[in-house]
mmCIF file of all heavy atoms in Angstrom:
data_model
loop_
_atom_site.group_PDB
_atom_site.id
_atom_site.type_symbol
_atom_site.label_atom_id
_atom_site.label_comp_id
_atom_site.label_asym_id
_atom_site.label_seq_id
_atom_site.Cartn_x
_atom_site.Cartn_y
_atom_site.Cartn_z
ATOM 1 N N TYR A 3 86.100 109.533 97.931
ATOM 2 C CA TYR A 3 86.084 108.651 96.689
ATOM 3 C C TYR A 3 87.440 108.520 96.137
ATOM 4 O O TYR A 3 87.781 107.452 95.611
ATOM 5 C CB TYR A 3 85.131 109.257 95.629
ATOM 6 C CG TYR A 3 83.681 109.186 96.048
ATOM 7 C CD1 TYR A 3 83.008 110.312 96.484
ATOM 8 C CD2 TYR A 3 83.007 107.958 95.959
ATOM 9 C CE1 TYR A 3 81.675 110.240 96.852
ATOM 10 C CE2 TYR A 3 81.695 107.858 96.375
ATOM 11 C CZ TYR A 3 81.026 108.994 96.792
ATOM 12 O OH TYR A 3 79.740 108.952 97.119
ATOM 13 N N LEU A 4 88.264 109.530 96.199
ATOM 14 C CA LEU A 4 89.646 109.437 95.728
ATOM 15 C C LEU A 4 90.454 108.481 96.516
ATOM 16 O O LEU A 4 91.175 107.640 95.912
ATOM 17 C CB LEU A 4 90.311 110.842 95.784
ATOM 18 C CG LEU A 4 91.709 110.872 95.200
ATOM 19 C CD1 LEU A 4 91.712 110.524 93.742
ATOM 20 C CD2 LEU A 4 92.253 112.243 95.404
ATOM 21 N N GLN A 14 96.910 99.076 92.020
ATOM 22 C CA GLN A 14 96.725 97.843 91.248
ATOM 23 C C GLN A 14 97.341 98.090 89.825
ATOM 24 O O GLN A 14 98.019 97.158 89.308
ATOM 25 C CB GLN A 14 95.251 97.492 91.073
ATOM 26 C CG GLN A 14 94.643 96.902 92.334
ATOM 27 C CD GLN A 14 93.179 96.543 92.144
ATOM 28 O OE1 GLN A 14 92.490 97.025 91.187
ATOM 29 N NE2 GLN A 14 92.647 95.793 93.057
ATOM 30 N N ALA A 15 97.200 99.263 89.235
ATOM 31 C CA ALA A 15 97.763 99.510 87.972
ATOM 32 C C ALA A 15 99.335 99.481 88.060
ATOM 33 O O ALA A 15 99.998 98.976 87.191
ATOM 34 C CB ALA A 15 97.295 100.863 87.421
ATOM 35 N N PHE A 17 101.154 97.859 90.319
ATOM 36 C CA PHE A 17 101.605 96.522 90.549
ATOM 37 C C PHE A 17 101.495 95.695 89.264
ATOM 38 O O PHE A 17 102.351 94.852 89.024
ATOM 39 C CB PHE A 17 100.797 95.886 91.660
ATOM 40 C CG PHE A 17 101.416 94.607 92.194
ATOM 41 C CD1 PHE A 17 102.396 94.663 93.155
ATOM 42 C CD2 PHE A 17 100.967 93.365 91.704
ATOM 43 C CE1 PHE A 17 102.962 93.475 93.596
ATOM 44 C CE2 PHE A 17 101.585 92.237 92.211
ATOM 45 C CZ PHE A 17 102.576 92.306 93.127
ATOM 46 N N LEU A 20 104.498 96.514 87.285
ATOM 47 C CA LEU A 20 105.711 95.833 87.889
ATOM 48 C C LEU A 20 105.727 94.397 87.510
ATOM 49 O O LEU A 20 106.762 93.836 87.137
ATOM 50 C CB LEU A 20 105.588 95.998 89.383
ATOM 51 C CG LEU A 20 106.760 95.389 90.187
ATOM 52 C CD1 LEU A 20 107.987 96.340 90.051
ATOM 53 C CD2 LEU A 20 106.378 95.228 91.648
ATOM 54 N N ILE A 21 104.591 93.684 87.530
ATOM 55 C CA ILE A 21 104.544 92.279 87.128
ATOM 56 C C ILE A 21 104.840 92.099 85.647
ATOM 57 O O ILE A 21 105.559 91.118 85.221
ATOM 58 C CB ILE A 21 103.166 91.632 87.519
ATOM 59 C CG1 ILE A 21 103.023 91.569 88.984
ATOM 60 C CG2 ILE A 21 103.009 90.288 86.876
ATOM 61 C CD1 ILE A 21 103.933 90.607 89.702
ATOM 62 N N GLY A 32 103.269 88.357 81.457
ATOM 63 C CA GLY A 32 102.853 89.733 81.277
ATOM 64 C C GLY A 32 101.476 89.849 80.700
ATOM 65 O O GLY A 32 100.678 90.699 81.100
ATOM 66 N N GLY A 34 99.090 87.565 80.808
ATOM 67 C CA GLY A 34 98.172 87.108 81.808
ATOM 68 C C GLY A 34 97.884 88.164 82.863
ATOM 69 O O GLY A 34 96.742 88.401 83.244
ATOM 70 N N ALA A 35 98.946 88.897 83.309
ATOM 71 C CA ALA A 35 98.747 89.966 84.303
ATOM 72 C C ALA A 35 97.930 91.104 83.665
ATOM 73 O O ALA A 35 97.117 91.686 84.362
ATOM 74 C CB ALA A 35 100.133 90.469 84.744
ATOM 75 N N PHE A 38 94.350 89.887 83.573
ATOM 76 C CA PHE A 38 93.795 89.948 84.923
ATOM 77 C C PHE A 38 93.457 91.401 85.287
ATOM 78 O O PHE A 38 92.416 91.648 85.896
ATOM 79 C CB PHE A 38 94.782 89.440 85.966
ATOM 80 C CG PHE A 38 94.803 87.958 86.131
ATOM 81 C CD1 PHE A 38 95.707 87.330 87.008
ATOM 82 C CD2 PHE A 38 93.956 87.137 85.421
ATOM 83 C CE1 PHE A 38 95.754 85.978 87.141
ATOM 84 C CE2 PHE A 38 93.990 85.747 85.581
ATOM 85 C CZ PHE A 38 94.878 85.173 86.473
ATOM 86 N N ILE A 43 90.571 95.295 87.628
ATOM 87 C CA ILE A 43 90.520 96.704 88.073
ATOM 88 C C ILE A 43 89.082 97.247 88.006
ATOM 89 O O ILE A 43 88.622 97.909 88.930
ATOM 90 C CB ILE A 43 91.521 97.520 87.284
ATOM 91 C CG1 ILE A 43 92.934 97.151 87.704
ATOM 92 C CG2 ILE A 43 91.333 99.032 87.486
ATOM 93 C CD1 ILE A 43 94.086 97.823 86.986
ATOM 94 N N ALA A 47 86.749 98.452 91.196
ATOM 95 C CA ALA A 47 86.144 99.767 91.313
ATOM 96 C C ALA A 47 84.667 99.635 91.607
ATOM 97 O O ALA A 47 84.095 100.379 92.459
ATOM 98 C CB ALA A 47 86.330 100.547 90.043
ATOM 99 N N VAL A 48 83.977 98.661 90.999
ATOM 100 C CA VAL A 48 82.581 98.447 91.235
ATOM 101 C C VAL A 48 82.302 97.988 92.704
ATOM 102 O O VAL A 48 81.357 98.427 93.364
ATOM 103 C CB VAL A 48 81.963 97.493 90.238
ATOM 104 C CG1 VAL A 48 80.574 97.027 90.621
ATOM 105 C CG2 VAL A 48 81.929 98.125 88.842
ATOM 106 N N LEU A 49 83.198 97.170 93.194
ATOM 107 C CA LEU A 49 83.026 96.642 94.553
ATOM 108 C C LEU A 49 83.422 97.660 95.624
ATOM 109 O O LEU A 49 82.891 97.623 96.728
ATOM 110 C CB LEU A 49 83.918 95.405 94.715
ATOM 111 C CG LEU A 49 83.405 94.149 93.934
ATOM 112 C CD1 LEU A 49 84.447 93.041 94.155
ATOM 113 C CD2 LEU A 49 82.022 93.720 94.354
ATOM 114 N N LEU A 53 81.415 100.770 99.232
ATOM 115 C CA LEU A 53 82.229 100.953 100.438
ATOM 116 C C LEU A 53 82.535 102.447 100.658
ATOM 117 O O LEU A 53 82.520 102.991 101.776
ATOM 118 C CB LEU A 53 83.542 100.163 100.345
ATOM 119 C CG LEU A 53 84.405 100.132 101.594
ATOM 120 C CD1 LEU A 53 83.704 99.463 102.750
ATOM 121 C CD2 LEU A 53 85.703 99.400 101.310
ATOM 122 N N GLY A 59 77.436 104.180 110.881
ATOM 123 C CA GLY A 59 78.266 104.600 111.977
ATOM 124 C C GLY A 59 79.285 103.515 112.361
ATOM 125 O O GLY A 59 79.796 103.552 113.525
ATOM 126 N N SER A 61 82.802 101.344 112.732
ATOM 127 C CA SER A 61 84.121 101.817 112.930
ATOM 128 C C SER A 61 84.933 101.799 111.608
ATOM 129 O O SER A 61 84.625 101.074 110.673
ATOM 130 C CB SER A 61 84.861 100.901 113.962
ATOM 131 O OG SER A 61 85.024 99.649 113.384
ATOM 132 N N LEU A 67 89.864 97.459 106.587
ATOM 133 C CA LEU A 67 90.205 96.029 106.332
ATOM 134 C C LEU A 67 89.569 95.506 105.060
ATOM 135 O O LEU A 67 90.212 94.910 104.255
ATOM 136 C CB LEU A 67 89.787 95.210 107.531
ATOM 137 C CG LEU A 67 90.118 93.708 107.436
ATOM 138 C CD1 LEU A 67 91.633 93.480 107.375
ATOM 139 C CD2 LEU A 67 89.488 92.954 108.573
ATOM 140 N N LEU A 76 93.689 91.396 93.437
ATOM 141 C CA LEU A 76 94.248 91.338 92.116
ATOM 142 C C LEU A 76 95.777 91.195 92.145
ATOM 143 O O LEU A 76 96.332 90.320 91.440
ATOM 144 C CB LEU A 76 93.815 92.552 91.331
ATOM 145 C CG LEU A 76 94.395 92.647 89.914
ATOM 146 C CD1 LEU A 76 93.886 91.527 89.049
ATOM 147 C CD2 LEU A 76 94.062 93.996 89.344
ATOM 148 N N LEU A 81 100.687 87.935 91.292
ATOM 149 C CA LEU A 81 101.941 87.446 91.883
ATOM 150 C C LEU A 81 101.887 85.867 91.887
ATOM 151 O O LEU A 81 102.907 85.278 91.643
ATOM 152 C CB LEU A 81 102.119 88.022 93.314
ATOM 153 C CG LEU A 81 103.439 87.682 93.975
ATOM 154 C CD1 LEU A 81 104.581 88.271 93.248
ATOM 155 C CD2 LEU A 81 103.372 88.194 95.376
ATOM 156 N N LEU A 83 100.409 84.031 89.682
ATOM 157 C CA LEU A 83 100.698 83.617 88.329
ATOM 158 C C LEU A 83 102.138 83.703 88.013
ATOM 159 O O LEU A 83 102.698 82.729 87.441
ATOM 160 C CB LEU A 83 99.869 84.515 87.391
ATOM 161 C CG LEU A 83 100.083 84.242 85.900
ATOM 162 C CD1 LEU A 83 99.520 82.891 85.553
ATOM 163 C CD2 LEU A 83 99.463 85.337 85.051
ATOM 164 N N LEU A 86 103.883 80.826 89.925
ATOM 165 C CA LEU A 86 103.552 79.541 89.319
ATOM 166 C C LEU A 86 104.339 79.260 88.059
ATOM 167 O O LEU A 86 104.884 78.223 87.860
ATOM 168 C CB LEU A 86 102.054 79.497 89.007
ATOM 169 C CG LEU A 86 101.494 78.230 88.426
ATOM 170 C CD1 LEU A 86 101.448 77.161 89.542
ATOM 171 C CD2 LEU A 86 100.134 78.447 87.868
ATOM 172 N N THR A 88 107.210 80.750 87.198
ATOM 173 C CA THR A 88 108.614 80.742 87.523
ATOM 174 C C THR A 88 109.017 79.416 88.130
ATOM 175 O O THR A 88 110.070 78.879 87.779
ATOM 176 C CB THR A 88 109.009 81.861 88.486
ATOM 177 O OG1 THR A 88 108.578 83.116 87.881
ATOM 178 C CG2 THR A 88 110.474 81.949 88.729
#
Side-chain angles (χ1 to χ4, degrees):
Y3 290 104
L4 182 63
Q14 288 179 343
F17 194 82
L20 182 76
I21 292 292
F38 277 177
I43 290 176
V48 168
L49 292 175
L53 187 62
S61 68
L67 181 65
L76 177 65
L81 187 63
L83 177 67
L86 182 73
T88 304

